[in-house]
Each structure stands twice: as C-alpha cells, then as structure tokens.
Amino acid sequence: MSATTAGILTGRQNDGPAASPRRARAEAVACAVTLTVAGSAGAAALVVAYRLAEWGSGGEFAWFWTGMLVFTLPAVFWAVRRSSGARLRLAVLIGYACFTYLPKLLRNPAGPLFHDEYAHWGQSHDILLDGRLFEQNPIVRVIGDYPGLHATVASLASLTGLGVWHAALLVLLVAHVLLVLGVAALTAQLWPDPRVAAAAACAYSLNSSFLFFDTQLGYESLAITILVWALTAAVRAVRAGDIPSRLGWSGLTLLLAVTVTATHHLTAIWLTGVLGLLALSLSLHCLADRSLIAATRTGWALTSVTASVVAVWMSAVSPRTDDYLDPYLGRALTQFGGVAGGGQSGRTLFSQSVAPWWEQDAAFAAPGFALLALAGAAVLWWRSRHGAEPLTRAAVAAMLLLGLLYFPATLLILTPSGAEGARRSWAFSYLGLAVAAAPLIVALVDRFHRTAGPALLASCAVVLVGNTAAGMNPSYRFPGPPVFGSDTRASTPEVLAAANWLRTTQGRGARLVADRYTGLIFGSYGEQEPATGSVTFPAYDLYRTPPGRPVPAAVLEQLRSWRFEYLVVDRRMAEQVPDIKIYFETNEPIPHDGKPGFTRAQLAKFDTLPWLIKVYDGPHVAIYRFDFARLGKRAHGGIR
C-alpha cells in the first residue's frame, strides 16, 4: 500500500505542516459536534419527509433535501478542508457513507421493496434454506448464475442467526462504506494530496445511483464496491517497482475480478472495459516515455485475464446473459435512431412526474455541471502533462475517457429501452468524472478560497438533487399508499395474503402464471415460480383472449409441457392502468392508451373454462389450478 493510501485509510499520511496536538484535538471536537448535530437534524428531517409522504400531506421533497444537505455540505467541508488531519478525514468519510445509507434504510427497513430486491431476497432465502447455488430465479432468471451477493448474505445469516433481510442490510452498509473509502483509496494512488482523494469520494457520491439504486439489495450494490477496490489494486500493480510486488497486487486484482464476475455481469463487463482503458492509455503514453513499458505490460495482462474470466463465466456458467442484455442495447439504439431521424417519438422526461419544478430543473442542470467539471479537468491535465508523474498522467487520461462515456449515455435516456441502461451506466462513468475532476476541485478551493468553497458546495447540492431526481422516480424514493402497477407499492395486504395462502396450503416451488406485480410477491414471499410472459412464451395471451375465443394452442401446449400448476388473476388489470405502464413485460403487445388493457369479460372468462379450477378468490386476486386432463380437443382452450 502506498504512503498516500495508507494516509487515507490509517492516518499515516502527512497533510502538510503538522498542527499542534491541542489544535488538532479542538478541530476534531468541533467536527464531531458539528456533524453529530447535523446528522441528528438530518436524520430527523428524513423521517419527517417519509411520514409526510406516507400520509399524503405534501412537502416531503423539501424536507428530504433539507435533511440530506444539512449533513452533506458540512461533511464535504470537513473532508476537503486543508487543516483536517488524516484520521479526522477518514472518520468524516465513514460518517458520510453511513449517513448517505440512511435514505434507503429508512425507506424500507423491514423487507424488500424495489423490484430487484424481491428477486435477490428470495434467492438469498432459498440458498439459506436449501444450500444450493446457481438455482434459477423466478423473477430475474439470470441472477441465479451470479451468486456472489446471495451466498454472502445467506452465509452471514447462517453464521449470525440474523434474518436474511437484516443480514443483507449489514452487507450493504459495509459495502457502501467501503465504496466511499475505495474511491478515496483509488484516487490516492494518483495524487499525494489527501484532500484530492476526499474530494473524489464526495464527488462520486453525487451520481444518480448512490443514494438508492446502489444501496438496494441488488448484486450491483456489492459488485461496484469490489470493482473500485479491484481498480485500486490494479493501479498499485502497474505502479509496483519490483516483480514480487507487481505479482502480489496483480494476484489481488484478479481475485477481485473473479469475485466481481461471480457477483454481477454488468459490473464485470465494466471492470474489463476500465482496465482496458487504463492499458490503452498506458500504451499511448509509453510511446513517449519508455519507463512505462512494465506498467503497460501489466495493464494489458490484467485486462486480458479479466476479459478471459468474464468470457468463460458467461459462456460456461451463464450463457443466457447475452440474451438478457442484448435486447436492451439493441432496442435502445434502434429507438434512438428513430428519435434522431424523426421517425418515432422518444420519452418525455418527467412526464406526469410529481417531482417539484426545482428537482426537475436540477436534473437538467446536472449534466451541464458534469461537462464543466470534465472540461476543466481535461484542461488541468493538459497543462500539467509535462510535470505530472508519467503513470498518474496515463491513469488520469483513462479516467477522463471513462468520464466522457457519461454524456452519450445521457442521450439514451430519451429512449424507452435505453433509459434503464443509461441510468445504470452512470454509476460507472461517474467514477471517471469524480477521479479526474477531484484535483480541479482542490485547485479551485486553493486559488479562490473565499468564493470557490461556497460556489462548489452550492454546485454539489444542485448536482446531488438533480442526479437523484433523474435516476429514481419519486415512488421509489418516498412511501405512499398502495398503487396498482408500481413496483414499490404492489405489496398490498390482499396480494400478500393470497401468496401466503398458496405457500401454506400447497407448499413452495409451484409454477404459475401471473402479471408483473403479483408475480413479484408470489415469487418472493410466496416462494413460488412465477412466469410473467415473454416473446418466446406469451403467457399474457391467456389474459388477452376474448371470451368465447380459443386460447392459442401453442401457449396451452407450453403451459402443459412445462408443467405449470396455477394461474393468478388480478382483476384490477381491467379497472386501472399500471403506474409504470407495464402489465407483464416491456415488449408486451398490450395497448397503453390511458385505458385499462383488459376488459372485465376477459378476466371473468376463467371462471367458465373447463380446464381451470378456482381455488382462491379475494376482492381482486383469484387463483386457479390448471387441470389439463380436462382439456379436450374440441374445447381446445375455448368456451364451447
């Protein structure tokens, strides 16, 4: 570990002229008092925001951001302050990481809430019960091939006696803290000023995924932390001055690369790409500085082995990953081409959003601030190209290229299929932005200390608000009454009761057909195997078929040959439009014209089909058992 990194993490870094012990203690006390009061006030404001949202009283946005900024701004001040000692700076970063975990923790402290959380919670729960890895998940089928997070959570639950959810919260909190420290440690490999490392950690925390997406129970939440530490080890490996050190750090990098690959496909791909950018930048700089030959060879070796690990895993362990990822990018590029050519309309940002105007304006302003930061960082890099240490110069160039990827991704937000992928890419490209822009932040503070500090803190507030608003819908960020067709508010008492009834009376693991929202609950809390339809298995045609018309024979044959046992019907599909405009899956052939996509007759027909037996009936939810033995040739799916 370099002296700079040691200083960030253990307090051995020399921050400049040493302050007197008395002054250092006074500053530590002042910092502790300030952040304790700010943290308490901020946490109280977050609780008020969530209660106002739950009661529908209004004002939750103002309270939420008041709570966040009342702690964030003084924490950033103390982290980047010149006279803060190494131990104090480390304590501030840890405190900051813990506080920024609070919004998601307070949002759902008792159980899963986001769409993917149901899948990952269920997968971890099944591993704890059955002890088997690589089992297919009924909600997000590809996650069974990436068991790193689930095995960690299940192991911790088994060792400590904690429930699966509380074990997951502990894993996620530790990962969140290590993510902040990892960005600081990575940056510390490049610049001797520890304030630059702290500035990079704070700047990275402004990305759209930091507060909610990468704190949820999802495989990226753990994998992105491992990615940052893998890059830290990789930079240390290419910087090593002797073969044993280079081999040791390279071995650690590859171990972390394997861990990332076993945890999350997208993060593993990004890790390979970032290592490739580093190796490419080293190669280009090596043309002018032959001292980088060993570093360049190490960079390409790490990239090649990591790419091989990812390729072998995806071909041998998870061949379905390509089919899972390809449609998103392919459809996004097609849709973007249509938007650019005027052939089709794109997404309207913040359409029908309840977010206040100032959040929406901040979301549009945030990319502008990012562009200014990256441009300033590029100018600073160019001006210092002759005086900077060669490896630092090459690594910063790679970070600039990584940060540059943020901007084309923002264009994909205009396409329905590309929006999700664009948002997910920002957590990675923002790493390049943060690391590259950190020296600029410190340079501005040093040169214009009276005006730059307040201006940068104000910019920090705008970017944090804007990126969060752009990256996560209000229904994900705030509680509220149940809403049909909302991933976060689909867990009604009625649906939970139906899922629990089926598990209690029929056991676990039954294959059933359901819509997206009941499928979440039946597949997680109900511990069943739901299918919500796809292009190759259009299960939604069961619901779409008009009464008196036969259900497509191909669908019935798939249901019979794949041994489906139950059909779940939520009659609200004929009464309401889903909040996110999806009934089953994104490519469903169901009209979304502001009216319910089904009629009451379409859903009531199941009561008269001879090969369905109603076994459960609630106010909105009904469960039918398939009886394919009664399906005759003449009545092949129809009502005769």
Side-chain angles (χ1 to χ4, degrees), residues 369-394:
F369 281 99
L371 181 60
L372 288 174
L374 192 68
V379 170
L380 187 63
W381 171 82
W382 180 256
R383 288 182 174 179
S384 62
R385 66 189 185 279
H386 297 302
E389 189 263 336
L391 194 144
T392 294
R393 189 169 66 247

Side-chain angles (χ1 to χ4, degrees), residues 583-600:
Y583 289 93
F584 294 90
E585 55 98 21
T586 54
N587 284 339
E588 61 191 18
I590 300 171
H592 300 97
D593 53 2
K595 300 178 182 179
F598 300 88
T599 65
R600 295 177 185 271

Side-chain angles (χ1 to χ4, degrees), residues 112-113 118 482 486-496 517 521 525:
L113 181 70
Y118 289 107
S486 168
D487 285 338
T488 57
R489 299 182 186 177
S491 181
T492 64
E494 180 187 359
V495 178
L496 283 170
Y517 313 101
I521 307 305
Y525 287 104

Side-chain angles (χ1 to χ4, degrees), residues 114-451:
F114 291 10
H115 177 275
D116 288 2
E117 286 189 325
Y118 289 107
H120 292 288
W121 177 82
Q123 194 76 6
S124 303
H125 185 261
D126 288 346
I127 290 175
L128 181 63
L129 289 179
D130 303 329
R132 294 196 301 268
L133 302 179
F134 302 105
E135 293 295 308
Q136 195 174 64
N137 185 274
I139 299 173
V140 183
R141 299 195 180 278
V142 75
I143 71 173
D145 299 332
Y146 298 90
L149 170 68
H150 320 121
T152 302
V153 171
S155 298
L156 182 62
S158 178
L159 290 171
T160 62
L162 292 171
V164 170
W165 180 251
H166 292 96
L169 291 180
L170 182 57
V171 170
L172 296 173
L173 175 60
V174 172
H176 193 65
V177 172
L178 289 177
L179 176 59
V180 173
L181 297 182
V183 175
L186 173 62
T187 311
Q189 298 290 333
L190 306 179
W191 289 281
D193 188 346
R195 293 183 303 154
V196 176
C202 295
Y204 179 76
S205 72
L206 305 181
N207 82 77
S208 62
S209 297
F210 187 76
L211 288 184
F212 288 98
F213 190 83
D214 282 339
T215 52
Q216 70 168 322
L217 178 54
Y219 37 19
E220 182 178 302
S221 301
L222 177 62
I224 197 167
T225 299
I226 305 172
L227 174 145
V228 170
W229 283 100
L231 291 177
T232 304
V235 173
R236 192 67 186 89
V238 299
R239 186 182 289 280
D242 56 83
I243 294 178
S245 296
R246 183 173 295 117
L247 291 176
W249 286 107
S250 296
L252 177 59
T253 303
L254 296 177
L255 176 62
L256 294 173
V258 171
T259 306
V260 167
T261 305
T263 303
H264 185 217
H265 44 77
L266 195 59
T267 305
I269 295 171
W270 273 96
L271 175 60
T272 305
V274 177
L275 288 174
L277 283 178
L278 177 61
L280 176 62
S281 182
L282 286 168
S283 297
L284 295 176
H285 283 78
C286 186
L287 297 176
D289 191 334
R290 306 303 293 175
S291 67
L292 294 176
I293 291 178
T296 302
R297 290 172 177 170
T298 303
W300 282 117
L302 293 175
T303 303
S304 301
V305 176
T306 300
S308 299
V309 169
V310 174
V312 169
W313 187 280
M314 290 187 178
S315 60
V317 179
S318 183
R320 77 189 89 195
T321 302
D322 289 342
D323 294 335
Y324 175 75
L325 294 177
D326 283 349
Y328 291 98
L329 181 59
R331 289 199 303 267
L333 294 177
T334 300
Q335 291 168 359
F336 183 73
V339 172
Q344 66 182 72
S345 60
R347 295 176 67 244
T348 301
L349 303 183
F350 294 105
S351 175
Q352 300 179 341
S353 175
V354 299
W357 65 267
W358 44 270
E359 262 204 5
Q360 298 182 34
D361 287 352
F364 287 108
F369 281 99
L371 181 60
L372 288 174
L374 192 68
V379 170
L380 187 63
W381 171 82
W382 180 256
R383 288 182 174 179
S384 62
R385 66 189 185 279
H386 297 302
E389 189 263 336
L391 194 144
T392 294
R393 189 169 66 247
V396 174
M399 291 296 104
L400 286 169
L401 292 174
L402 176 61
L404 192 62
L405 296 176
Y406 168 80
F407 300 99
T410 59
L411 298 178
L412 289 178
I413 203 75
L414 298 174
T415 66
S417 295
E420 184 67 20
R423 281 193 292 263
R424 295 196 179 197
S425 73
W426 293 341
F428 303 98
S429 58
Y430 231 83
L431 179 63
L433 270 170
V435 175
L440 175 66
I441 294 171
V442 173
L444 290 174
V445 171
D446 286 346
R447 185 167 184 178
F448 309 102
H449 59 278
R450 292 186 177 180
T451 56

Side-chain angles (χ1 to χ4, degrees), residues 511-529:
R511 306 198 73 179
L512 55 87
V513 178
D515 63 273
R516 174 185 176 99
Y517 313 101
T518 56
L520 284 177
I521 307 305
F522 277 78
S524 54
Y525 287 104
E527 301 180 47
Q528 310 301 342
E529 302 285 337

